[in-house]
Every structure is written in C-alpha cells, then in structure tokens.
Amino acid sequence: LCAVRYTGVAGTPFRQEQHRRTLPPGEEETVTMTVTFAEYQPHVGDQDALKLTAAGAVQETGQVVAKELRVRLHIPELTLTLLAPAVVGQETPIQVVFQNPLPEALTGTTLRMEGAGIACPKPMSL
C-alpha cells in the first residue's frame, strides 16, 4: 500500500502484508486489510490517492497473478445556505456547514469565500 501523487508518481510503500493459503479446487477466500487514518495520513497530500497492489503466486506452477487498485480519498463537502434575500450593495448572511470526517480535531483551519461582487474576501480562522 502506498500513496500516489496527483501526477501519478507512487510514493514509498508504507504497509505490506504477506499471507500464505492452501486453496482447494473451485474455492475462494477473502483477505481483509483495514487501514486507519493515522496509518495513511502521514503519507498522503491534498490530491493523493492510495494504491493497493495485490499479487499471488501458485507454488506448484510458478504462475503469478497481480491486480492494482487505486482508491481516491473523498474530500468532504461544504453546505452553503443563504439566510436572507441577496440585495445588491448590502451584506448577505450565509451559513456554511462543514463536518469533520477525521478522528482528530482540525487546527489552523481557514475559510475563505470568493465570488462575483466580493471586493475584498476576508479569510476567517476557525
């Protein structure tokens, strides 16, 4: 498991597991891997994905099977609600809702709103 930059360049693998199984004819088996936020967070940036590469080898024949999966990390959305009618030349209150999906507090966060007619957007520290 490794991070993949938005440019397609893969980072150094940060997790590897090896499993040996004996599989009877016609049978299938599932192997589950859980990756915590604390484990992948130091390795990913704003626009990165996770790349999982799984490979299997048949001991009797030496045949190798491999599969790669890219998992794009979803960015939470902001919800914007206009709280009063918008009138040209007057301030308009807007409600912004964001839910932190992470298992830890966000710090040093800034909200910045831009748009047509906003002369001087002022960042708001949260």
Side-chain angles (χ1 to χ4, degrees), residues 7 20 23 34 37 57 97 113 119:
T7 58
R20 291 188 180 273
L23 203 57
T34 300
F37 172 71
V97 177
M113 297 177 71

Side-chain angles (χ1 to χ4, degrees), residues 57-76:
V58 179
Q59 188 174 12
E60 293 79 6
T61 65
Q63 182 182 13
V64 175
V65 186
K67 183 78 175 178
E68 182 179 292
L69 174 68
R70 284 190 188 203
V71 178
R72 189 170 149 81
L73 301 172
H74 295 281
I75 298 171

Side-chain angles (χ1 to χ4, degrees), residues 5 15 21 34 46 62 80 82 87 93 100 108 111 120 122:
R5 307 292 176 239
R15 169 105 174 251
R21 300 285 195 271
T34 300
D46 291 342
L80 302 175
L82 197 59
V87 178
N100 179 4
L111 175 66
C120 273
K122 295 178 183 171

Side-chain angles (χ1 to χ4, degrees), residues 5-25:
R5 307 292 176 239
Y6 70 94
T7 58
V9 176
T12 303
F14 62 87
R15 169 105 174 251
Q16 295 180 2
E17 292 184 7
Q18 186 172 4
H19 302 270
R20 291 188 180 273
R21 300 285 195 271
T22 299
L23 203 57

Side-chain angles (χ1 to χ4, degrees), residues 25 29 50 59 77 96 103 112-113:
E29 186 171 334
L50 295 176
Q59 188 174 12
E77 294 187 19
V96 180
R112 181 184 171 115
M113 297 177 71

Side-chain angles (χ1 to χ4, degrees), residues 28-115:
E28 65 179 52
E29 186 171 334
T30 301
V31 176
T32 302
M33 173 191 272
T34 300
V35 184
T36 65
F37 172 71
E39 188 175 3
Y40 71 76
Q41 187 270 333
H43 304 280
V44 298
D46 291 342
Q47 299 177 27
D48 291 350
L50 295 176
K51 180 174 81 168
L52 173 66
T53 305
V58 179
Q59 188 174 12
E60 293 79 6
T61 65
Q63 182 182 13
V64 175
V65 186
K67 183 78 175 178
E68 182 179 292
L69 174 68
R70 284 190 188 203
V71 178
R72 189 170 149 81
L73 301 172
H74 295 281
I75 298 171
E77 294 187 19
L78 294 173
T79 302
L80 302 175
T81 305
L82 197 59
L83 298 177
V87 178
V88 174
Q90 295 182 10
E91 288 188 2
T92 302
I94 298 172
Q95 179 185 51
V96 180
V97 177
F98 170 79
Q99 182 176 2
N100 179 4
L102 303 176
E104 59 187 49
L106 295 174
T107 58
T109 306
T110 302
L111 175 66
R112 181 184 171 115
M113 297 177 71
E114 298 180 8

